Amino acid sequence: MNEEQAWVRQAQQGDDEAFTKLVETYQTPVFNLCYRMLGEPELAEDAAQETFLRAFQHLHRYDQKRPFATWLLSIAAHYCIDRLRRRKFSMFSMDAEDEEGNSFEVPDVDAPNPEGEAITGQTNERVHAMLKDLDATDRAAVIMRYWYDYSEKEIAESLNLTVSAVKSRLHRARKELAGLWVEQEDDLLAEMERRHHESPAF
């Protein structure tokens, strides 16, 4: 039994300190998942707190044969899906591939890029508009796959789906996002070219 499993077992027996150690270990990945799902720090913080509350309340149901991280993040994903079904929120950058395996990348808004600063705001708006209409479950599957490197089987277990359903959802989301991103990228390049010609020569 490793240290984490020991903490889980102790927490299941009512040891609050052991559960606190689990919270400290997973608070960052849980918050990050919620943030990418909901798009706002305040909402993500609330969702993370609710995730740990629910995990504490249902800890007796946790099966130690299953990775604790998978179980915990599935609680977070389900909570965020529920929130998204009641209201649509924006999600931040992601990487994905189209059917031919060509990757497309949403620019990192935190990276220094003087040439692109003038249109960073416009780019963010385009990214949010492109992603915000994804089905909530599709969004969770994409985040788990591309940010947390979950296998299709792990995603299926976390979201109560079949593996074939996960494959279908990921394929659909990749195809939709890749197509939209190509359109957004063309617009972005056109805008940069227009601004370049309008810039004064030195």
Side-chain angles (χ1 to χ4, degrees):
M1 180 184 298
N2 61 32
E3 189 174 42
E4 178 184 286
Q5 291 173 329
W7 290 342
V8 171
R9 181 158 296 182
Q10 291 164 9
Q12 286 177 323
Q13 296 172 352
D15 188 332
D16 291 340
E17 184 176 345
F19 187 76
T20 297
K21 291 178 180 177
L22 291 170
V23 172
E24 291 172 348
T25 299
Y26 288 104
Q27 58 186 357
T28 297
V30 168
F31 174 83
N32 286 343
L33 184 148
C34 294
Y35 182 55
R36 286 158 183 157
M37 287 287 292
L38 302 176
E40 297 181 26
E42 296 80 8
L43 294 174
E45 184 66 35
D46 290 343
Q49 291 179 6
E50 181 66 24
T51 296
F52 285 113
L53 175 61
R54 293 185 178 191
F56 181 78
Q57 293 173 335
H58 300 289
L59 199 58
H60 61 283
R61 298 182 183 176
Y62 167 65
D63 180 359
Q64 291 210 21
K65 295 178 182 178
R66 182 183 183 188
F68 183 76
T70 301
W71 181 75
L72 185 62
L73 291 175
S74 71
I75 294 175
H78 280 292
Y79 179 76
C80 291
I81 288 170
D82 184 59
R83 292 296 301 271
L84 286 166
R85 283 175 176 166
R86 284 182 273 138
R87 183 180 176 185
K88 292 181 179 180
F89 298 95
S90 295
M91 184 182 74
F92 288 89
S93 64
M94 61 163 290
D95 299 334
E97 295 180 352
D98 60 20
E99 292 180 88
E100 286 73 40
N102 299 314
S103 64
F104 68 94
E105 181 178 348
V106 176
D108 180 355
V109 297
D110 295 322
N113 181 17
E115 294 180 0
E117 284 181 0
I119 53 175
T120 295
Q122 294 178 34
T123 301
N124 289 340
E125 290 177 6
R126 289 168 177 165
V127 169
H128 293 168
M130 181 178 71
L131 296 170
K132 69 181 182 180
D133 291 328
L134 270 183
D135 174 83
T137 303
D138 288 356
R139 185 182 301 191
V142 167
I143 289 172
M144 288 181 170
R145 184 71 184 93
Y146 292 104
W147 269 296
Y148 292 89
D149 199 29
Y150 272 34
S151 68
E152 291 167 344
K153 181 179 179 181
E154 288 173 326
I155 296 171
E157 292 175 350
S158 296
L159 300 180
N160 297 325
L161 299 170
T162 63
V163 172
S164 60
V166 169
K167 290 180 179 178
S168 176
R169 285 178 178 275
L170 288 174
H171 175 77
R172 180 176 63 206
R174 283 197 302 266
K175 185 175 181 180
E176 179 181 353
L177 291 170
L180 287 170
W181 179 249
V182 169
E183 294 177 11
Q184 301 294 351
E185 194 172 53
D186 288 343
D187 291 343
L188 178 61
L189 291 173
E191 179 72 4
M192 293 180 70
E193 183 68 17
R194 184 181 68 80
R195 289 178 177 272
H196 173 72
H197 287 301
E198 291 178 353
S199 299
F202 292 99

